[in-house]
Amino acid sequence: MIRTIAFLLLSAALFTAPPPDTHARPDTTGHNASSDTTLVVGSKKFTENVILGWMATQLWRSSGLAADHRAELGGSRFLWEALVRGDIDAYPEYTGTLVQEILSVTDVTRSTLEETLAEYGVSTTEPLGFNNTYAIGMRADHADSLGIKSISDLRRYPDLRLGFSNEFMDRGDGWPSLKAAYDLPHEARGIDHDLAYRGLRAGQIDVIDFYSTDAEIGAYDLRVLDDSRNHFPEYRALFLYRAELDEQAPEAIRQLRRLENRLPADTMQQLNKQAKIDGIPEQRVAARLLNQTFDLAETVTASTTSWVERLETRSVEHLILVGLSLGLAILLGIPLGIIAANVRIVGPSVLLLVGVMYTVPALALLAVMVPLVGLGRTPAVIALFLYSLLPIVWNTYTGLNDIARSLRESAEALGLTRMAQLFRVELPIAARSILAGIKIAAVINIGTATLGALIGAGGYGQPILTGIRRADLGLILEGTVPAAVLTILVLGTLEATERFVLPRGLR
């Protein structure tokens, strides 16, 4: 039994050892930006936004500013909350998204946008030049065969399969309002934007939403349906940034403003094509454009890292996420399981609470965490910790609850105190069940930790997200294979440790 308790405590200590947080946001409050102050650019998880994010990052670096790019941080709400909190300094956004989605609870209009943003401590550049509005479309050959030219024409074909990006499904100018505006009889399902294009090409979906500068429209011969009722507003691209940078880092803002009115729609579509169709990394696409436009060939370069270097970095990030969250779950989950099994008044409430927490969708939990604790490792660890509690608490409870009454009575007859019964009789008998819960939690944790990439926590989820966006199987495998190998190694380690710490009679 002593070995069992020692194993559990040692595991928790190892898992919760706080390594340096490489995702911590530098404190720039009250200081002028200098070489030791790192400015952070964020971007959403679609190609165009990543390219724009790299443009800002590289312009800052070319002017002597230290800058990092946190790419593919999920949707608009993640980036907005991070900007308002000060976790990032700037990110590319669109006027339509600001008016229709982020600030939809206010009476903001395009003319009052700057005043409203100022209330949040946010400023904006002028538009960059192109309008990337939403559009509805389908394969050109399919549209021609049905005689469909506009969104209104869809009403004649209620059996068409509609698949829209998940964000579009709930936006103020998205599917609900589009359906009402055109009186469409269809039902739509949510799907990742990049996967929707593949479904459309494969004939599994008939109609999807486009961004009007998407490279796939021309490359795959797709038809943009006429928005005859002008449902979609303008989506002029611009940069949002923390207003205090006007005084703290005026050079950074001057560099952002160099992009104003320099990117027409056809240029942006061509940049998207280079990244998505031709497979050129976004960092390099952005560098080429900046070098051609501003003659910065000597200062703007697209650095690359080897597969081994990426694997090492992502492995460390993933192990930190899993180790910290699982260790905390062990420290709290076992005591909660003991309470659930022995304190009848609160036991059912404990089990119900951890069960309900486990049913909260991971993305929803991350979205709640970002406004509270920001981007990076901290919200990811908290979310993973909450998900790891269920198997540990329930297995501890079950292992203790299933102990035969005769054994408990024998322990009482020997005159053992209640604590002695727990640590010398009950926990050793329940140890296999407890360790099984830890194994289950570890497997769940390793897989779920890939979602941490959506909020800048890194890990194996980063190449997976990038691979899905680029339709690059190699990048997807770069994240999934190491995650699978890590799961096997962790399970093997826990299995070997179990044989070591359990008394021979309980093996």
Side-chain angles (χ1 to χ4, degrees):
M1 178 55 205
I2 293 176
R3 286 190 298 178
T4 303
I5 296 176
F7 160 69
L8 296 176
L9 292 177
L10 179 60
S11 298
L14 290 174
F15 283 137
T16 55
D21 188 351
T22 57
H23 297 284
R25 174 73 175 93
D27 182 10
T28 61
T29 304
H31 299 279
N32 292 325
S34 61
S35 59
D36 59 352
T37 298
T38 301
L39 299 173
V40 180
V41 180
S43 62
K44 306 180 191 181
K45 66 179 188 70
F46 64 93
T47 298
E48 178 175 287
N49 217 255
V50 175
I51 293 173
L52 293 175
W54 275 119
M55 286 185 186
T57 305
Q58 292 166 345
L59 280 175
W60 283 357
R61 290 175 178 174
S62 71
S63 65
L65 297 169
D68 283 338
H69 182 199
R70 287 190 175 183
E72 301 176 279
L73 293 179
S76 304
R77 185 59 60 178
F78 285 106
L79 273 298
W80 171 256
E81 296 291 352
L83 183 68
V84 172
R85 276 183 50 87
D87 294 321
I88 60 176
D89 296 291
Y91 80 95
E93 192 49 275
Y94 304 86
T95 55
T97 300
L98 286 168
V99 175
Q100 298 290 330
E101 180 67 16
I102 295 176
L103 303 174
S104 59
V105 296
T106 67
D107 294 327
V108 63
T109 63
R110 182 67 185 93
S111 61
T112 62
L113 182 58
E114 291 188 13
E115 296 177 5
T116 305
L117 290 173
E119 297 176 8
Y120 294 89
V122 174
S123 292
T124 175
T125 65
E126 290 298 314
L128 307 182
F130 64 92
N131 174 28
N132 187 11
T133 187
Y134 271 108
I136 303 300
M138 53 196 303
R139 296 197 323 270
D141 60 341
H142 193 190
D144 289 339
S145 68
L146 298 177
I148 296 177
K149 297 181 179 180
S150 68
I151 300 175
S152 299
D153 293 336
L154 295 175
R155 285 202 303 269
R156 304 199 309 265
Y157 302 95
D159 294 332
L160 289 175
R161 297 161 297 178
L162 277 57
F164 297 136
S165 59
N166 292 300
E167 186 171 357
F168 184 79
M169 290 292 291
D170 297 314
R171 293 176 62 92
D173 58 344
W175 169 238
S177 60
L178 178 71
K179 181 176 183 178
Y182 283 94
D183 192 24
L184 298 176
H186 309 79
E187 295 299 326
R189 56 174 171 166
I191 187 171
D192 180 82
H193 187 67
D194 296 294
L195 295 179
Y197 274 112
R198 279 169 247 176
L200 184 67
R201 294 182 67 195
Q204 298 171 335
I205 304 173
D206 300 310
V207 181
I208 68 172
D209 60 308
F210 300 157
Y211 303 135
S212 60
T213 55
D214 280 353
E216 292 89 345
I217 297 174
Y220 300 155
D221 191 24
L222 305 179
R223 172 73 50 76
V224 176
L225 302 182
D226 181 40
D227 181 14
S228 56
R229 299 185 181 179
N230 297 316
H231 172 73
F232 294 117
E234 284 191 338
Y235 280 74
R236 296 287 176 182
L238 42 71
F239 277 97
L240 297 182
Y241 62 89
R242 293 191 300 118
E244 56 192 28
L245 291 184
D246 282 318
E247 295 184 1
Q248 293 181 0
E251 178 60 22
I253 307 309
R254 192 184 75 82
Q255 292 296 326
L256 287 182
R257 294 192 181 281
R258 297 179 74 181
L259 292 170
E260 294 175 348
N261 300 308
R262 300 302 294 268
L263 298 174
D266 56 348
T267 297
M268 195 67 244
Q269 192 169 54
Q270 182 61 30
L271 296 177
N272 288 333
K273 177 182 179 298
Q274 292 175 18
K276 294 207 69 175
I277 308 301
D278 301 337
I280 302 173
E282 292 86 355
Q283 188 174 0
R284 189 171 302 163
V285 171
R288 286 180 178 178
L289 185 282
L290 294 179
N291 290 334
Q292 294 170 2
T293 304
F294 303 114
D295 192 23
L296 299 176
E298 295 184 359
T299 54
V300 177
T301 58
S303 61
T304 58
T305 56
S306 68
W307 176 83
V308 174
E309 292 173 322
R310 294 197 303 270
L311 177 61
E312 180 181 353
T313 299
R314 299 310 177 197
S315 296
V316 170
E317 293 170 343
H318 210 82
L319 282 170
I320 290 172
L321 292 176
V322 172
L324 284 172
S325 56
L326 185 59
L328 291 171
I330 292 171
L331 284 175
L332 184 61
I334 294 176
L336 285 177
I338 294 173
I339 292 173
N342 291 279
V343 184
R344 302 300 180 186
I345 297 177
V346 300
S349 298
V350 171
L351 297 176
L352 177 63
L353 180 61
V354 296
V356 169
M357 285 191 300
Y358 193 79
T359 64
V360 178
L363 286 177
L365 188 57
L366 291 175
V368 171
M369 291 292 176
V370 170
L372 298 176
V373 295
L375 294 171
R377 181 180 302 149
T378 301
V381 168
I382 294 174
L384 291 170
F385 156 70
L386 294 176
Y387 281 124
S388 299
L389 281 177
L390 179 68
I392 296 176
V393 172
W394 271 90
N395 276 47
T396 302
Y397 165 80
T398 302
L400 293 173
N401 206 44
D402 288 348
I403 296 175
R405 180 176 293 275
S406 59
L407 291 176
R408 297 179 185 273
E409 292 174 347
S410 297
E412 292 177 2
L414 291 173
L416 296 178
T417 64
R418 185 67 194 93
M419 293 301 293
Q421 293 176 39
L422 176 65
F423 283 97
R424 300 184 64 178
V425 178
E426 296 174 6
L427 283 178
I429 295 174
R432 290 194 66 182
S433 178
I434 296 172
L435 289 168
I438 294 175
K439 293 177 188 176
I440 296 171
V443 173
I444 294 172
N445 212 320
I446 292 171
T448 308
T450 57
L451 294 176
L454 287 170
I455 55 174
Y460 295 139
Q462 194 64 57
I464 293 174
L465 286 177
T466 305
I468 292 174
R469 180 169 54 79
R470 295 183 186 172
D472 187 331
L473 180 60
L475 279 175
I476 295 174
L477 293 177
E478 189 176 308
T480 55
V481 171
V485 172
L486 178 61
T487 300
I488 295 171
L489 291 176
V490 169
L491 286 178
T493 302
L494 290 173
E495 187 70 26
T497 307
E498 178 179 331
R499 293 186 60 81
F500 172 76
V501 301
L502 285 179
R504 180 170 300 176
L506 294 176
R507 296 176 189 170

